[in-house]
Amino acid sequence: MRGHDGTGTIDTPGLPRVDDRRDAPDDSRPAPLGAVTITNSDLDGDVPAASTDDDIAEALGTGRRRRRWPWLVAGIGVGVGGTVATSGAWDGDSGSADTTSTETVELTTAAVVAQDLVDSVEYDGDLGRSAAQEILAGADGTITSIVTIGEQLDRGDVIATIDDQPVVAMYGSQPFWRDLESGDEGLDVLQLEANLAALGFDADGAMTVDGDFTSATEDGVEEWEEQLGLDVTGEVPPGRVVVIDGPSIVADATSVSSAARLGQQLALSETERTAFDLVVDGSSVADDAVLTDVVVADTPIDQGTTLALLDGIAAQAVTETSEVSQPILDAIRDGDVERLENLLVFFDFDPSGTIVVDDEVDLATAAAVIAWQESVGLQPTGATESAYYVESPAGLIVSAAHADAETELDGGVLLATASASTLAVSMEVVVDEIDEIQLGDAVEIDLADDSTLDGRIISIADVANEPANVDETPTVDVEIEVADVPDEVVLGPVTVRIEVGRIEDAVLVPTRALVSLREGGFAVTVRRADGSEQLVGIELGAFDDGLVEVVNGDVSPGDEVVVPS
């Protein structure tokens, strides 16, 4: 058993260590112990002495809790007979005992079961938000209002006013760095259009989310300006909008009446959920193309997930890219078929040599595209237009659907917003134990309110932390992502359990059924269907929550063993 510091073992006298036992060949195990038949009339007085918890603790020593179940006896109760010998000797041949005093115990039976035993290491951790973001001023002036600490920020919320001009939050990754007006193109325009569409500032449905600031985009901006109480200009100055990662909580804010300077921090926010807008680029397909079966809220976004059907063909998510896939996707996005064909040949997706590099999509080109799609986990559609590939970060879930079925794809459309929680657990693992865990390992997180969350390890630091005291062991920082986050959760200290071993379908009996034999070893009393009872010698394995594994002995799941009631 490992102590709280995670080092050392305790060898259990008379018991095998499960690790050693599991590594040994089957023929190395001792033969089954003999069985002694006992009738009810034999039980009064003719009983092997039972070990007590104190006896075992004294023999084995103690260890601080670290694993869910130890490789040693945690406590053994009376298991055979209606009386227990408190002193005397057991004569295995004659079946008699020299007993000086007895204690009567009421008996019943318990079933032998088969179930998995899980060996887990426990660590102390801290549950909190993993993402914090500075919100910076985009213009000089005087701060005339500001959000309060603890306030939630969502897309479209006013974070502050500078000289009575609102500064509005929008989701995205591209800073608004220039005046945006009709005729502009780019990622910042695409981001603006996606936010306007998500906020409903496209009453007539004419605006396309395509990164091209058209008159329809201008109309959407004017609707937004009217809602903010601004002069209607149809333009967006750089200080009007700041970008946040998603729904956030204000952790710090500057004071009203203070001077704002370009690039100065207005507020500090903790992002609750990162947000990403899923946009279909319709520039490569016909203007009358129609979207059907649009993705709905709560849909996980994985590699190849269908986000919508575009003229009956899946527009699918691309969450994983590589040195092979990224150039192919870039060629598809640029509409450069000749480059696409060259890449497919170069990366050996045309082993039969049927592709003719001629800037024309034919059956050979489509077959090579299908070979590439299958190799990276995408649906084999053979599509060569950018509308059928929607790039997205991994691990997101649709939080809001924006497009309806039968939506016409006139240049581009905002399909949905996908998001992921930033709730995470940070913990420190001593360097001696860091090899026991790996990236992607599943964990269970026990919260202060006794609830449990699932998670997985997403980060293990490359460099150990130097301890403040030379007598302490260096530690490594580990971060855990939380899955299926509830609406309300208690932040703060948590316990993290990581599985490091498992015994499948272990045959288990209650520890209360065990009897220690004078000649050494342990036994249980099996009550047969006809009411007779048989003392069966057994070899013990791992212990867990009042149960012990039987690794050798004539005991099977479904058998009934005698235990104190």
mmCIF file of all heavy atoms in Angstrom, residues 23 36 265 292 445 477 505:
data_model
loop_
_atom_site.group_PDB
_atom_site.id
_atom_site.type_symbol
_atom_site.label_atom_id
_atom_site.label_comp_id
_atom_site.label_asym_id
_atom_site.label_seq_id
_atom_site.Cartn_x
_atom_site.Cartn_y
_atom_site.Cartn_z
ATOM 1 N N ASP A 23 1.481 -10.840 -12.190
ATOM 2 C CA ASP A 23 2.580 -11.007 -13.143
ATOM 3 C C ASP A 23 3.028 -12.457 -13.251
ATOM 4 O O ASP A 23 3.710 -12.837 -14.198
ATOM 5 C CB ASP A 23 3.771 -10.136 -12.741
ATOM 6 C CG ASP A 23 3.452 -8.660 -12.892
ATOM 7 O OD1 ASP A 23 2.538 -8.347 -13.670
ATOM 8 O OD2 ASP A 23 4.130 -7.863 -12.239
ATOM 9 N N VAL A 36 -12.968 -28.476 4.595
ATOM 10 C CA VAL A 36 -13.385 -29.258 5.757
ATOM 11 C C VAL A 36 -14.889 -29.162 5.867
ATOM 12 O O VAL A 36 -15.432 -28.065 5.937
ATOM 13 C CB VAL A 36 -12.734 -28.738 7.059
ATOM 14 C CG1 VAL A 36 -13.173 -29.576 8.236
ATOM 15 C CG2 VAL A 36 -11.214 -28.749 6.916
ATOM 16 N N GLN A 265 -6.066 48.375 -19.769
ATOM 17 C CA GLN A 265 -7.038 47.395 -19.320
ATOM 18 C C GLN A 265 -8.267 48.078 -18.743
ATOM 19 O O GLN A 265 -8.172 48.875 -17.815
ATOM 20 C CB GLN A 265 -6.422 46.480 -18.262
ATOM 21 C CG GLN A 265 -7.391 45.434 -17.718
ATOM 22 C CD GLN A 265 -6.766 44.509 -16.705
ATOM 23 O OE1 GLN A 265 -5.804 43.810 -17.022
ATOM 24 N NE2 GLN A 265 -7.285 44.505 -15.487
ATOM 25 N N THR A 292 -30.329 22.055 -45.383
ATOM 26 C CA THR A 292 -31.367 21.311 -44.656
ATOM 27 C C THR A 292 -30.707 20.553 -43.511
ATOM 28 O O THR A 292 -29.486 20.414 -43.444
ATOM 29 C CB THR A 292 -32.083 20.312 -45.584
ATOM 30 O OG1 THR A 292 -31.108 19.434 -46.163
ATOM 31 C CG2 THR A 292 -32.833 21.049 -46.694
ATOM 32 N N ILE A 445 -13.722 13.461 -10.265
ATOM 33 C CA ILE A 445 -13.449 14.627 -9.431
ATOM 34 C C ILE A 445 -14.537 14.718 -8.368
ATOM 35 O O ILE A 445 -15.714 14.890 -8.688
ATOM 36 C CB ILE A 445 -13.444 15.913 -10.287
ATOM 37 C CG1 ILE A 445 -12.433 15.765 -11.433
ATOM 38 C CG2 ILE A 445 -13.126 17.132 -9.433
ATOM 39 C CD1 ILE A 445 -12.680 16.739 -12.560
ATOM 40 N N ASP A 477 3.025 20.250 -12.379
ATOM 41 C CA ASP A 477 1.671 20.787 -12.537
ATOM 42 C C ASP A 477 0.893 19.966 -13.558
ATOM 43 O O ASP A 477 1.391 19.665 -14.657
ATOM 44 C CB ASP A 477 1.720 22.244 -12.995
ATOM 45 C CG ASP A 477 2.254 23.175 -11.909
ATOM 46 O OD1 ASP A 477 2.080 22.851 -10.731
ATOM 47 O OD2 ASP A 477 2.848 24.217 -12.251
ATOM 48 N N ASP A 505 -13.758 -8.731 -13.188
ATOM 49 C CA ASP A 505 -14.548 -9.904 -12.756
ATOM 50 C C ASP A 505 -13.893 -10.635 -11.583
ATOM 51 O O ASP A 505 -13.798 -11.870 -11.562
ATOM 52 C CB ASP A 505 -14.753 -10.870 -13.926
ATOM 53 C CG ASP A 505 -15.581 -10.255 -15.033
ATOM 54 O OD1 ASP A 505 -16.496 -9.472 -14.714
ATOM 55 O OD2 ASP A 505 -15.324 -10.550 -16.218
#
